[in-house]
Amino acid sequence: MAHKLFDLSEKVVIVTGGASGIGRVYCEALASCGAKPVIADQNEFLAQQLASDLNARGQSALGLGCDVSNPDSVINMVSAVIKHFGSVHGLVNNAALMSTLPRGPWYEIEQSDWDRVMEVNLRSLFLCSRAVYPHMKKMGGGRIINISSNRIWDGTPNRLHYTTSKAGVVGFTRALSREVGDDNITVNAITPGFTASERQIEFSNPAYVVKMQELNSRKALKRTQIPEDLVGVLLFLLSDASSYITGQTINVDGGAMMH
Ligand SMILES: NC(=O)c1ccc[n+]([C@@H]2O[C@H](COP(=O)([O-])OP(=O)(O)OC[C@H]3O[C@@H](n4cnc5c(N)ncnc54)[C@H](O)[C@@H]3O)[C@@H](O)[C@H]2O)c1
């Protein structure tokens, strides 16, 4: 039996972008530990389908359609969570524009694409955190986890808007952690390496996937990263075991980058 510090049972955790990819794996893991995941995704159909699959297994989940870049949509999502579950313990800011973005030179990025990436990948953190804040404060604390990328340590080129937005996630994490510490809310970030989520593979051309396999040989742990590699650190950051850790960024990439 797990130590009580790691007990997440009955904890309500919103996972944005939880309907597919890595977010889906987070939701399944949370449900299996007795937590109550809220799958908040622009794909309402997939969000509700995952929630009904989890509920059919005797777990407790809620699927909601939400565009995390839209203030009204975010407020409605959090209101629905409070109405359904009565509280919110954790927010995982996971939704992002990434796998569908073309890789290419920085000067070919359209301004409208730059702005949309900032809206979805960065403004959403502000909107979602602001919406859950009064509820976490009322409950006496909470956990906010922001998903960045190990690209920020490397300065990986060819998706300049994406890499820039993910560097912003770390600044947001650090500054917000200082503003909400007195409310017993911790704010941390995770920087995953290239992870073989279904859409990431689908949208990467075969040559790129081969290149990534070559990059595996430069890691301390020489294999392809999978979504399950990120689950342990996520559960840890949501649990009481991490209650004195805040403002930090934890790199999970098999030792590709040393941070
Ligand atoms: N897969 C990787 O290699 C990798 C590496 C580093 C960091 N990350 C980060 O991990 C997170 C998840 O990555 P993934 O590979 O699962 O991505 P993905 O593209 O497979 O899934 C993203 C999810 O977010 C949802 N989404 C997109 N825009 C949204 C919006 N405006 N509102 C609500 N939901 C929205 C999508 O519907 C989808 O379910 C992202 O933040 C990504 O930047 C991924």
Side-chain angles (χ1 to χ4, degrees), residues 20 22 41 66-68 94 99 162 166 195 197 199-200:
S20 62
I22 303 171
D41 202 292
C66 175
D67 175 356
V68 291
N94 166 77
S99 48
Y162 175 72
K166 290 297 180 178
T195 304
S197 58
R199 205 176 287 136
Q200 178 75 299

Side-chain angles (χ1 to χ4, degrees), residues 16-24 26 40-43 46 65-70 93-100 103 116 119-121 124 147-151 162 166 190-201 225 227 230:
T16 68
S20 62
I22 303 171
R24 181 185 174 96
Y26 292 154
D41 202 292
Q42 66 180 359
N43 190 327
L46 282 184
C66 175
D67 175 356
V68 291
S69 68
N70 179 304
N93 282 311
N94 166 77
L97 283 177
M98 177 210 51
S99 48
T100 52
R103 294 183 175 89
R116 185 63 188 149
E119 282 175 6
V120 176
N121 294 11
S124 64
I147 307 300
S148 176
S149 165
N150 82 338
R151 281 179 155 248
Y162 175 72
K166 290 297 180 178
I190 300 172
T191 52
F194 180 94
T195 304
S197 58
E198 66 256 39
R199 205 176 287 136
Q200 178 75 299
I201 295 300
Q225 182 162 348
L230 293 155

Side-chain angles (χ1 to χ4, degrees), residues 80-92:
V81 173
I82 299 302
K83 195 171 166 202
H84 188 83
F85 284 130
S87 66
V88 56
H89 164 77
L91 166 67
V92 183

Side-chain angles (χ1 to χ4, degrees), residues 26-46:
Y26 292 154
C27 291
E28 287 172 340
L30 282 163
S32 72
C33 337
K36 299 174 174 174
V38 176
I39 304 134
D41 202 292
Q42 66 180 359
N43 190 327
E44 186 171 3
F45 173 77
L46 282 184

